[in-house]
Amino acid sequence: MKEKLHALQAEALKQVEKADTLADFQKIRVSYLGKKGPITEVLRGMGKLSKEERPIIGELANKVRETITEAIETKKAVIEEAVLNEQLKSETIDVTLPGRPVQVGGPHLLTHIISEIEDLFIGMGFEVREGPEVETDYYNFEALNLPKDHPARDMQDSFYITEDLLMRTHTSPVQARTMGEYQGSKPVKMICPGKVYRRDTDDATHSHQFTQVEGLYVDKNVRMSDLKGVLNQFAKQFFGAEREIRLRPSFFPFTEPSVEMDISCKVCQGEGCSVCKQTGWIEILGGGMVHPNVLKMAGYDPKVYSGFAFGMGPERIAMLKYGIDDIRHFYTNDRRFLEQYHRAQ
Ligand SMILES: [Zn+2]
């Protein structure tokens, strides 16, 4: 029996020596040390042995079992380490490889200009209001002193949804809506940025859809000099502290008197050049004192309240500020154009 155990041990160790996968070890363990394995069998047969032989054989059997187990564990550890090393080698990360650049987005130039305008006017105490882009004939025209069949409506042809509903042609309806909401109960000091629509044929300076920022200040004793002061502040903030402004008489149905504001040409310093069409001035926006009819229709007594309003085009401001020559660049989403202004100041 002793010989049998020694032979088993030798045979098992030989197999361990040959084994090189984890599955092999499992097989060896089951076949030699398992419940149906030869060693268990020896231990079961111990009853047949003499009293003297029993402890000797028992001890030997246990020793053989330990030796085989130990051999398996040792070799297994070596194999496992080799497998791990192989894995580490194949999964090596080359930290010197340059990273893939992360694409960083930025606001659209028009969004940027609009938020800059908002910041400036919020700083002067204006609130920012919004209004619907699909507007009623009443708010888009009538409440702004543009009754039906008024010839000035021709300048603002739009897309009609029904006879009475249209895509708003300017952001001015938001003035009428805000004043109508307050009903003469308190002063109004607001700007309204947003999209507007005209039935224009698209070219370098026209688009059927563009943006506007409307401004309105209604209170007691608001004078034209207040309008001039606010617009002067705006011009200097956007185009440089050295810019001069001038107001020219103009006509808008909803303001009286009405003005157009020009800034002095940056290129020629007022001498006259091709950018300013030899005039030394560049037109920026329109405005004026709110027409008494507009105040009256919105519930403000024109004998008590007065106000000014102005409207500007963020596209025009961006084009002048950055020398952009075609309005269509804003809407065609060419990233080569847009990305130049991601960090615009
Ligand atoms: Zn010029």
Side-chain angles (χ1 to χ4, degrees):
M1 201 162 250
K2 264 186 194 170
E3 286 77 44
K4 199 179 167 191
L5 282 169
H6 280 303
L8 273 171
Q9 181 177 317
E11 199 184 311
L13 291 180
K14 222 180 191 172
Q15 293 224 17
V16 170
E17 196 59 43
K18 279 198 286 182
D20 52 10
T21 70
L22 297 177
D24 289 344
F25 295 119
Q26 185 60 13
K27 228 152 97 191
I28 296 166
R29 190 191 296 276
V30 172
S31 59
Y32 287 93
L33 310 173
K35 275 182 190 163
K36 288 173 185 165
I39 295 172
T40 314
E41 209 172 294
V42 169
L43 292 170
R44 266 196 206 126
M46 295 246 291
K48 291 175 198 155
L49 298 173
S50 68
K51 247 186 188 174
E52 294 76 30
E53 273 182 315
R54 240 181 258 168
I56 300 163
I57 296 297
E59 200 190 327
L60 181 63
N62 280 331
K63 216 169 160 201
V64 166
R65 190 209 292 256
E66 269 169 35
T67 309
I68 296 171
T69 308
E70 209 170 285
I72 289 174
E73 290 307 323
T74 310
K75 183 82 189 283
K76 200 171 143 193
V78 172
I79 301 259
E80 275 173 345
E81 200 184 324
V83 168
L84 184 67
N85 281 337
E86 192 58 40
Q87 204 177 355
L88 286 174
K89 222 164 141 190
S90 67
E91 290 176 4
T92 304
I93 296 162
D94 181 358
V95 290
T96 64
L97 207 66
R100 292 190 188 92
V102 177
Q103 299 258 351
V104 181
H108 190 283
L109 180 55
L110 289 178
T111 309
H112 174 80
I113 293 276
I114 288 170
S115 49
E116 214 179 317
I117 294 171
E118 285 177 357
D119 285 348
L120 173 66
F121 283 97
I122 287 169
M124 290 194 275
F126 286 74
E127 61 170 326
V128 178
R129 305 276 299 193
E130 282 181 345
E133 285 172 33
V134 176
E135 191 51 279
T136 60
D137 184 275
Y138 176 78
Y139 280 117
N140 195 78
F141 292 126
E142 274 185 59
L144 297 165
N145 204 29
L146 274 155
K148 281 200 168 38
D149 303 319
H150 191 292
R153 282 196 181 196
D154 290 350
M155 296 190 295
Q156 298 191 12
D157 200 7
S158 181
F159 305 98
Y160 280 81
I161 287 151
T162 66
E163 205 172 308
D164 202 44
L165 276 181
L166 65 151
M167 302 306 289
R168 67 178 178 191
T169 58
H170 45 189
T171 42
S172 309
V174 185
Q175 291 188 13
R177 283 181 174 275
T178 308
M179 283 193 284
E181 189 185 314
Y182 294 174
Q183 279 298 321
S185 63
K186 54 180 173 178
V188 183
K189 206 173 179 188
M190 53 143 275
I191 60 162
C192 162
K195 293 193 200 82
V196 300
Y197 304 82
R198 302 264 174 107
R199 228 193 65 180
D200 265 332
T201 305
D202 295 5
D203 62 21
T205 53
H206 294 86
S207 169
H208 61 280
Q209 182 202 308
F210 54 101
T211 60
Q212 266 191 352
V213 178
E214 185 81 11
L216 175 72
Y217 178 29
V218 174
D219 202 345
K220 289 166 186 158
N221 300 317
V222 176
R223 293 159 302 178
M224 191 123 181
S225 53
D226 296 317
L227 171 65
K228 195 172 176 184
V230 165
L231 295 182
N232 192 34
Q233 186 61 37
F234 161 76
K236 285 181 163 37
Q237 169 99 9
F238 266 77
F239 298 101
E242 69 287 0
R243 295 275 77 80
E244 298 289 323
I245 66 162
R246 81 171 178 188
L247 302 179
R248 279 181 293 113
S250 184
F251 168 76
F252 301 109
F254 29 88
T255 46
E256 182 59 40
S258 303
V259 292
E260 302 263 7
M261 184 184 86
D262 300 337
I263 56 165
S264 56
C265 179
K266 192 180 180 178
V267 179
C268 62
Q269 305 298 335
E271 293 287 309
C273 70
S274 62
V275 173
C276 57
K277 293 174 190 147
Q278 310 302 330
T279 63
W281 296 93
I282 294 171
E283 188 188 320
I284 295 288
L285 55 82
M289 301 308 289
V290 181
H291 197 288
N293 286 352
V294 174
L295 289 172
K296 225 182 290 172
M297 269 186 278
Y300 283 78
D301 182 353
K303 290 196 183 76
V304 180
Y305 283 96
S306 56
F308 66 72
F310 58 87
M312 59 180 91
E315 282 89 341
R316 181 159 176 78
I317 290 162
M319 287 167 89
L320 287 170
K321 194 169 176 180
Y322 298 108
I324 297 160
D325 58 1
D326 195 320
I327 198 170
R328 289 167 290 196
H329 285 315
F330 294 113
Y331 318 116
T332 43
N333 290 332
D334 186 335
R335 281 172 54 184
R336 289 168 302 180
F337 169 77
L338 296 174
E339 282 167 1
Q340 295 175 59
Y341 303 102
H342 276 176
R343 273 170 283 282
Q345 290 296 314

